[in-house]
Amino acid sequence: MMDLLGYGAFFLTTALIFSLVTLGLNLQWGLTGLFNVGLAGFVAIGAYTSALLTTPDDAARLGGFGLPILVGWFGAMLVGGIAAAITGIATLRLRSDYLAITTFGVAVVVQLVALNAQKLTGGPFGIGFIPRPFGSLAETPLLFNLSNLAVVSAVTLIAYLALEHLSRSPWGRVLKALREDERAAISLGKSARFYRVQAFAVGGAIMALAGALQAHFTGFIAPDNYLPILTFQVWVMLIVGGSGSNLGAVVGSILVWAIWAGSGTLTSILFAPEQQARAASLQIVAIGVMLCVILLVRPNGLFGDRPLRARFGKRAKAAAGESK
């Protein structure tokens, strides 16, 4: 029972870290309409920035300043936000598929730098000995996982409430106006590029914070953690939960991660060890089937806005009577 509770805390911690990434993507895509498929790059920037700031000194690479974990998290948000702002200034003149290709290229560049800049990032060997919150409890997995779950839950809740406030503020309404009808928003004197860069920077900072949390939760990072499959997972989480809904971003992340982890457990049980490498592709199949089913039942996701449908018969007459 204790082991099951500890695993549940570990699972929820990982799912909430994904939720933070999805919340950042929801700000960029769901609220502003920016098609970012390079989010793995911003997650990596946050993870490596926090790791370099907080790890002990290492003669094999730069960094290792031994600063407190909170300093690493704020540093990750700052560097991630600046990187996203620079990317936004350079690329947000592009639209839809061209923007997607460019942001994907940014993520690939970040991953290749992490893989080859061994003096800075440790190269393919990654960075270890990253300080973990409540590291003294590591010998007691249940207490360690519950403590980290409490920290990640608090950070996710703060980010969720802040984004909910922003989405209802005048700033959020401008972003929605730019998403729905850019020309109308510009005609009211709003700078489309200025607001889009802001949204891209804030979303990138949230993704970087998620990367920092993940780095300190696991205690080790490597370039293989930030492959394009991460972008695929987060986009599915947002689509399932409902684009434009912060609650949908959180619930969709937990649901998709549950299916991803559950399918991985099933393949390890049902298939022999020599077949598990091939069977791992069934995880993507499971996610694809779930995505198709949810979009057939809820085309806008679980918490997305339902499309308005034409009314017929008695409902139409009743609506017409009320309008009079």
Side-chain angles (χ1 to χ4, degrees), residues 94-143:
L94 304 173
R95 292 292 180 269
S96 61
D97 49 349
Y98 296 104
L99 177 60
I101 294 170
T102 306
T103 53
F104 179 75
V106 170
V108 172
V109 168
V110 171
Q111 201 265 340
L112 288 176
V113 169
L115 185 63
N116 294 285
Q118 191 163 343
K119 289 293 184 181
L120 179 65
T121 65
F125 304 104
I127 298 178
F129 302 104
I130 302 174
R132 307 167 78 182
F134 306 102
S136 58
L137 300 176
E139 296 182 358
T140 311
L142 177 60
L143 291 177

Side-chain angles (χ1 to χ4, degrees), residues 35-324:
F35 195 13
N36 177 16
V37 294
L39 55 92
F42 299 110
V43 176
I45 288 173
Y48 276 98
T49 299
S50 188
L52 292 173
L53 289 174
T54 59
T55 50
D57 186 30
D58 189 345
R61 57 174 172 79
L62 301 176
F65 298 104
L67 297 174
I69 293 176
L70 284 177
V71 175
W73 290 355
F74 283 111
M77 293 182 67
L78 179 62
V79 175
I82 292 173
I86 294 173
T87 303
I89 292 171
T91 64
L92 291 185
R93 293 180 180 178
L94 304 173
R95 292 292 180 269
S96 61
D97 49 349
Y98 296 104
L99 177 60
I101 294 170
T102 306
T103 53
F104 179 75
V106 170
V108 172
V109 168
V110 171
Q111 201 265 340
L112 288 176
V113 169
L115 185 63
N116 294 285
Q118 191 163 343
K119 289 293 184 181
L120 179 65
T121 65
F125 304 104
I127 298 178
F129 302 104
I130 302 174
R132 307 167 78 182
F134 306 102
S136 58
L137 300 176
E139 296 182 358
T140 311
L142 177 60
L143 291 177
F144 175 77
N145 289 327
L146 289 175
S147 301
N148 278 276
L149 175 60
V151 171
V152 174
S153 298
V155 173
T156 305
L157 180 61
I158 292 171
Y160 173 82
L161 294 176
L163 289 173
E164 280 288 289
H165 174 73
L166 285 176
S167 65
R168 294 186 175 94
S169 68
W171 183 75
R173 291 196 290 271
V174 171
L175 296 182
K176 293 177 183 177
L178 290 172
R179 180 194 64 190
E180 298 297 334
D181 193 335
E182 181 179 336
R183 292 183 179 180
I186 293 175
S187 68
L188 296 175
K190 305 300 180 182
S191 172
R193 191 180 183 194
F194 177 70
Y195 280 95
R196 283 192 172 121
V197 170
Q198 286 183 334
F200 208 75
V202 174
I206 295 172
M207 294 173 184
L209 175 60
L213 287 173
Q214 183 265 343
H216 288 278
F217 178 56
T218 60
F220 173 80
I221 56 174
D224 288 346
N225 296 345
Y226 310 105
L227 297 174
I229 189 66
L230 174 60
T231 298
F232 166 77
Q233 289 173 321
V234 176
W235 267 102
V236 172
M237 291 170 179
L238 181 60
I239 293 171
V240 168
S243 179
S245 169
N246 290 319
L247 178 61
V250 175
V251 175
S253 299
I254 296 174
L255 178 59
V256 172
W257 184 244
I259 294 174
W260 185 272
S263 59
T265 303
L266 282 177
T267 55
S268 64
I269 295 174
L270 298 177
F271 294 91
E274 62 272 11
Q275 297 177 339
Q276 288 180 8
R278 294 182 178 181
S281 60
L282 293 176
Q283 289 181 298
I284 299 178
V285 173
I287 295 296
V289 171
M290 178 209 63
L291 183 61
C292 291
V293 171
I294 289 178
L295 291 182
L296 286 172
V297 178
R298 296 279 300 187
N300 290 337
L302 296 176
F303 292 90
D305 295 331
R306 291 186 178 182
L308 296 177
R309 296 180 179 177
R311 296 179 174 181
F312 300 96
K314 295 181 179 179
R315 290 186 178 181
K317 293 178 181 179
E322 291 176 1
S323 64
K324 293 179 181 180

